[in-house]
Each structure stands twice: as structure tokens, then as C-alpha cells.
Amino acid sequence: MSDTASPVGVAVLGLGNVGSEVVRIIESSADDLAARIGAPLVLRGVGVRHVSADRGVPAELLTDDIEALVSRSDVDIVLELMGPVEPARKAILSAIAHGKSVVTANKALLSRSAGELAEAAEAARVDLYFEASVAGAIPVIRPLTQSLAGDTVERVAGIVNGTTNYILSEMDATGADYAQALADASALGYAEADPTADVEGYDAAAKAAILASIAFHTRVTADDVYREGISNITPADFTAARALDCTIKLLAICERITTAAGQQRVSARVYPALVPLSHPLATVNGAFNAVVVEAQAAGRLMFYGQGAGGAPTASAVTGDLVMAARNRVQGGRGPRESKYAQLAIAPIGDISTRYYVSMDVADKPGVLSSVAAEFASHEVSIAEVRQEGVIDDEGQPIGARIVVVTHRAPEASLSKTVAALADLDSVQRVASVLRLEGTDQ
Amino acid sequence: MSDTASPVGVAVLGLGNVGSEVVRIIESSADDLAARIGAPLVLRGVGVRHVSADRGVPAELLTDDIEALVSRSDVDIVLELMGPVEPARKAILSAIAHGKSVVTANKALLSRSAGELAEAAEAARVDLYFEASVAGAIPVIRPLTQSLAGDTVERVAGIVNGTTNYILSEMDATGADYAQALADASALGYAEADPTADVEGYDAAAKAAILASIAFHTRVTADDVYREGISNITPADFTAARALDCTIKLLAICERITTAAGQQRVSARVYPALVPLSHPLATVNGAFNAVVVEAQAAGRLMFYGQGAGGAPTASAVTGDLVMAARNRVQGGRGPRESKYAQLAIAPIGDISTRYYVSMDVADKPGVLSSVAAEFASHEVSIAEVRQEGVIDDEGQPIGARIVVVTHRAPEASLSKTVAALADLDSVQRVASVLRLEGTDQ
């Protein structure tokens, strides 16, 4: 431990929205940051793919030789803000091997390789911080790893993808269908040219893997996360949701579950869910994120804020930078990977929740009875059922739709029920199956 | 830095709701806590005022000799959960002097003596953690000191006292007057026999001092906090609030302000404020707490959860305990007091906000005009004005009430306006002056 005031050298990899904002903060808040750290921060270099043109950074700081930058002896901390998985992984491992602490916002990389990176950091006795990888500026990683370190987390449920939340908020508010809302999101820059990672839930699944790992002291990777996207959600689903005093949100849920045999397992999953309007997540709209944590002693906590964007993400990165720099100056290290529990991953069939099932049926007597019988035969208890006529464009009746909301039931039983329903002659198709969040009846 | 697994000795001072729950967690979660710390926690003793009867703790652990307990060589960390200011202060200083790290939930002590305690901890190179001192289980201290360490906090506004929030929620929901709502809160155990510390805002002011200190890197004590309680709030204020689409909440507000001369100052204040129903704090009801933080890069963040109670507070204490224990085992120290900015404290007259002023007036022509003229002559711009007749119990008109909502104005100007209004012949009395939160027009 030393109180020397020799400067802390920083290398920034990547100069996109986040990297540019981090560089700006390091410069504009230099005095404040130095006071908080106990030593000045000095930006040693910025790694970019192509050294060119005016990047808003003095030209002599730019380099495309990432390997040389992260191994410089006057660099103490490397901020990896370039993505994607490669070359970021290689750069981080190289930085760690050279004894640098690392701050990264790379959720895709962490959701695959957090274990490898953590082991390398442990071997080199350096810090690896990643607050910005989940929910942008919202402190979530640090509360889970530190504030709740004395508690037992039971469940984490969050809205962690702004693109899908924008699309679903739009569908709910305007009645737009999915394609229209996606087009609007693209036009406003909220959706990428290829929106797959967002709309099919891959981005949220990466964040779910990170959250589940730290909440349950278990290594969880993106491949362990059950995942459904939002592209099948229809205006009819929103109409049905509203009739149930609900909206629809894409949720990342990480949960400790106990099997029938008494074993503790971790379920991590991403899917669009019906959320009651009275639930705190129901009013999180547009590009905002929120994470609800339920812990044994703390009860229910919620963290809310901007989940993406250059400045908010840069806030989280710079906070991690200050922590890593303080440790350099004052001794000590930040929290390490905690994987002592190593719980098994629960397949989606192991969870139990409430369900909403809508189906198109023949409009004739006895259909509701046969539908209800299928639920009963699989021991799925019905909480609420609605049947309404469906008419064509000219107002002629062309069938009926039955919407069933169940009590809490095992996913495996529900799946069998849905398969059996689809086989019924009187059921034309099962239009939609969605899970319900936050009601426990 | 050492990876030894020798146990970490813990002394708990105080065995009330929080202390009992902390002892329970240390015992019931022993394996988890040991895995997180890297060494087992061992409870060495529990300090109580009177060693007696069944306290739910093995008798041999109980002692009334606090001084002997905190100086034991096998105690590494002391949890101060006994309050009030004394003898807690003396016990903490003694523990620190003996090289123990300290975790405390004692907001009254911290809001007076944080500087003294921090200097002692710095001299002894031990940790001083106090997450539980503000907003119970809700992580607020750690996000402000660590997650936002790279950002610039502009404002913190929170509902941090459950008793007053219960009373105000009750008045809003039922139309009860203050005395009735307080009686209800007392009957339910939400208010103490002497409710002064809660209802007059002293408890919230202590928390405001702690929040302002860490948000603005300035020593702020409870005496620096401007304070108004809720005992003057009437059902008529709630009626007027509702007409403005607002509710009334007791807020603790910490704000960086810039004087006309360009100097940065810190304002810390507690008062009942009109909060628009669309504001995230408006829906925080009953005994819940929430804190909204506005930072330059992060934007607006909100933290929400249970602000009091044995188990939630114990969650925060035990989280701090795990951090302090990790530092003992693995080397390093937690964040220290940051007071480098040492901004001057702004008197309440320096703030500017929007105001709601209600006054009983004579019901005759020209009154509104003379009232409006007073606002104009003090350069306070009126946003909205309502005048309505007031009738007595028999339906006879006995005067009128004028409610004025202003645009943003300096507090000093508003005070002069109110004094001048009270002097007008046509104004019988200024019934109420409340500030508005969260609207910036």
C-alpha cells in the first residue's frame, strides 16, 4: 500500500460513442478525478482500428497497434470499449498478462468468456470491472456484488434492452404492429440495421448471463440462458394484455429455484412477459432500463435509469476506472469472480410461473369445455378464461378466440397442455403463449 | 495482501431489531459468507446495555463491557448498531483506535461526527462503512461513492423517512388530517412515542447531510441542513395539490448550486414539497424509500426499496461487513472520506425553485390584483392562480382562498413576497407556502 501520487496511466480501446465520452470526461473532470483517486489520471493512448482524420483526440494519442498499447509500461489500466467479442478478448487477455487492470463494457464477451477473463485477472492479481456491461449507467453489478454481499439473492428481473423496450412501448401506446414499430425504432436510430441481437433477445440473454453469474455465485454463460424474442408479439396480444390490466415487456429473469428433489438450481431466461400495470417494471418505457432484485433480507429493490447511450455508459466505465485507479494508488483489489456455489442450470421446463394462452377455436358448443379439460388433465389450474367471437373484415363471424390465464404451474406441464391443445380438432391454432410476471397466485 | 483463511472476528454492539437480524444472518448464512470473504466469520461477542434473560444469543457471547469487547485482540470488525449518538461515538472511536474496522447504521452520529470518525479511521488505516445509515437496504452510499465516482453529481432528492411518508400517503389517500394520520401511524408502530425526530424532519436532515457530504465531496453536518417538518400540512394542502396533479412528500434534497457570483455551493434541505404525479417519487408510498440521483453523464437514476426495518437494514450492514472482512483477508481498504471540494453551504435563501402559496383573503374586488402586484414587484413570475370562495359550516360565504403557483424564483424573493402579502389588508393570512419538486418551468 502506497500513497505515492505518481500518475495512473490509462489506455482506451475504441473511440465510438462510449470511448469518445470517456476520453472527454477524463479530460474535462481531470481535477475531480485526481482528487478522488489520490493521483492524476493520464491518457496514454487510444486504440482504434484506423488511425485517421479528426477523431477529437490529439493525433499522437491514436494508434492501431492495440497489442503495443496495452503492453506499454506506463499504462496501468485498460478500458476496453471496442467490442465485439474478438479482438476485444485478445486485447483484454494481453492487457491482463501485462499486469494491467481492465474495465470493459463488453457484455457479449463477458457472457461467453467471463470465467476465462476472471481467471486471468486472478492469476495476474489485477482488477476486472464491468459495471457498464449491464444496464448502462444504472449501478447493478456493484450493488449485487457488494451491497448485497451479505444477503441471499432470490431473483433478478429486469428490462435490460432499450431497443425492444422502445418497440414494445410503441406497440402498446399506438397499437402499431411489430413490423411498424421496428421500422419506427430504426428510423429513430434505436434499432440497428440488423436488429437480430436485440429483437431476438441475444443482447438481453448476454446480460442475464452476467447478472445470474454474480447473483448466484455460479458461472452462467449466454448459452445457458433460455431465450425468446419479441418478433411474434401481435397487437392482439397487447389487446388481451390490456384486458388483463397488463402490458408486455421483454424481461431478463434470473432465479434461484428448488427442484422437486430439493436441489438448488439457477434459471436464467429472456422472454416477453405480461407485466401487471401495478408492477414497477410496467412503467419503464422507451429506452429506459430497470432491474428489480429480490433478496431474502433486503426484500424488493429497484434500480432505474438510462440503460444505453454514450454518456450514461461512459459514467459507469469512468466509475470503474476510478475504482481501479484507487486500488492502484492505495492498494487492494476490487471484488473477484465468485463462483463458489456452482449451481446447476435449470432447463426452462423446471421453472414454474403463470401463463397466458390464446387460441383460435371453432365457434361451437363444447369447445371451452374440451379446452378446459386439457388444462385439467395436465394439472394446470385455470385462473381466468375469456371467450370472444372473431369477425372478418365484413363483420361475419369466422370463429372464436379463447384466452386462458393459469395459476402458477410447471413449465413442463404447460408445454404438454399446449401440445395437446394444438391437437384438438376444435382448436384451429394456439396463437400465443406468454408468461406472466409478478403475480403469484 | 494475504490469502490466509484465519477467521475474521466480529463484535456486534446492540441487539435490537437490526442487531438481532445481523446475528441471525451471520449464523444462518455462515457458509455463503465464508465463501464470499475467503475466510469464516466468527461472532466474538455482542455488546448490550444489560446482560439478561434470553436474547436469542448464547449467554456467553453477551457482555455489557463495550470497551473490553471492542478492544479484544480477536475482534477485527465492529458493527455499531446500538445508537444513539453516545455511547456509540465513544465505542466507535475506541474500536478504531484498537485497529478495528467499523460498520455503522447510526445516521444521527454520522450527520454530526462523520469527519471525526473518518479522520480516526484514516489515521488507523481501517475501514468505516455506513451503507445502512441512509435508506435501509437500498444501495445509495456505494453507488454514490463508487459507481458514480467518475461522474459529477448535480442533485440528489429522496424520500428517506418512512414514518412521514406513511403519514403523508395516508393523508393523501384518506383525507385524514395530520393528527389523525399520526395517530394511525403510532397505532401501527410506524411512529415512535415521541415522533419529533421523524415528523419535524430531523431524521431526514441527518440523511441529507450524509448524502450531501458524499455526493459533493464536502463535509455537511445536520446543522447545515435547512429543515421543515410536516406537522403544518393540512387536508386543504392535499386538495390543492391534487388540483395541480401533485401529491405532497417530505423530501431530502441535496443540490449543487451556482451563485450569481459564479461560486459553487451545496444546498441541503428537507421540506414537504408538491411532487407531480408523473414524477417517479410520487408513487413511492407507505414505508418505502426512494432516492433519485441526477448526474452529468449518467442522467437520472432512481433507487427504490425498503428504507427501514430490521431485515432490510441488516442486509445493508451485512453487505458492509462482508466488504470490510474481504479487505481484512485480501488486503486493501474501502473508500475513504472525500472532502476535497469543500464547497460552502448555501443558505436556503440562495436556492431557487417553484412555489405554491395559498392565502385566505377578503372576498371583494381588487384582491387578486393586489396579490398579483406583490408577486410582480418582487419579480416572482406567476404560472397559475386559482381563487375560490370559502364557506362556513352553514354554507355562508366567509371569504375566499387564493392559490398561486409560481415559475422558478429565488427563495429570497419569494420570502419577501410572502412577508409583503401578509401585510396586505386584504390578505387575512398566508395559509401555506410549499415548494414544488421536479418541474422546471
Side-chain angles (χ1 to χ4, degrees), chain A residues 20-313:
Chain A
S20 304
E21 185 66 18
V22 168
V23 167
R24 197 194 62 71
I25 293 174
I26 289 175
E27 285 166 1
S28 67
S29 298
D31 291 346
D32 278 332
L33 298 178
R36 294 171 196 173
I37 292 163
L41 283 179
V42 177
L43 184 61
R44 303 295 189 190
V46 178
V48 292
R49 207 172 310 164
H50 305 292
V51 176
S52 65
D54 181 17
R55 304 291 301 264
V57 170
E60 66 273 19
L61 286 177
L62 293 176
T63 176
D64 59 4
D65 190 344
I66 304 291
E67 183 58 29
L69 177 58
V70 303
S71 60
R72 277 175 62 155
S73 62
D74 61 355
V75 165
D76 299 290
I77 300 171
V78 172
L79 312 184
E80 187 282 300
L81 307 170
M82 62 187 181
V85 171
E86 293 292 1
R89 175 180 157 277
K90 181 163 169 289
I92 290 176
L93 288 173
S94 179
I96 290 173
H98 285 94
K100 319 305 183 192
S101 290
V102 171
V103 176
T104 177
N106 196 326
K107 64 227 165 199
L109 171 59
L110 287 164
S111 70
R112 297 187 195 192
S113 307
E116 179 187 21
L117 302 182
E119 282 171 10
E122 189 57 31
R125 306 191 78 81
V126 298
D127 282 333
L128 174 67
Y129 282 106
F130 49 92
E131 180 67 68
S133 66
V134 179
I138 312 171
V140 176
I141 305 295
R142 192 165 276 107
L144 281 170
T145 52
Q146 299 190 37
S147 306
L148 291 167
D151 207 332
T152 302
V153 177
E154 295 292 356
R155 198 164 190 278
V156 180
I159 294 171
V160 294
N161 180 274
T163 304
T164 48
N165 202 46
Y166 178 86
I167 292 170
L168 293 173
S169 299
E170 185 83 355
M171 290 178 73
D172 195 15
T174 69
D177 67 11
Y178 168 75
Q180 184 57 49
L182 172 59
D184 291 350
S186 299
L188 290 166
Y190 291 146
E192 307 205 22
D194 177 357
T196 308
D198 291 318
V199 301
E200 295 305 336
Y202 290 98
D203 174 80
K207 292 162 178 170
I210 296 168
L211 290 172
S213 298
I214 60 177
F216 303 120
H217 309 280
T218 291
R219 268 191 197 160
V220 180
T221 70
D223 292 341
D224 297 323
V225 180
Y226 175 83
R227 182 187 49 72
E228 292 176 19
I230 65 164
S231 54
N232 294 326
I233 301 295
T234 63
D237 291 325
F238 274 102
T239 303
R242 258 191 302 277
L244 298 164
D245 288 325
C246 288
T247 184
I248 299 173
K249 297 290 189 187
L250 183 71
L251 299 185
I253 299 172
C254 310
E255 195 175 42
R256 181 195 303 273
I257 64 176
T258 306
T259 63
Q263 294 166 309
Q264 298 263 301
R265 290 194 179 159
V266 170
S267 164
R269 51 198 201 255
V270 169
Y271 49 61
L274 267 67
V275 178
L277 295 177
S278 59
H279 190 286
L281 291 175
T283 50
V284 176
N285 286 320
F288 277 82
N289 279 193
V291 177
V292 172
V293 177
E294 288 166 35
Q296 280 178 7
R300 181 189 270 185
L301 302 170
M302 185 166 87
F303 307 89
Y304 171 90
Q306 294 185 63
T313 309

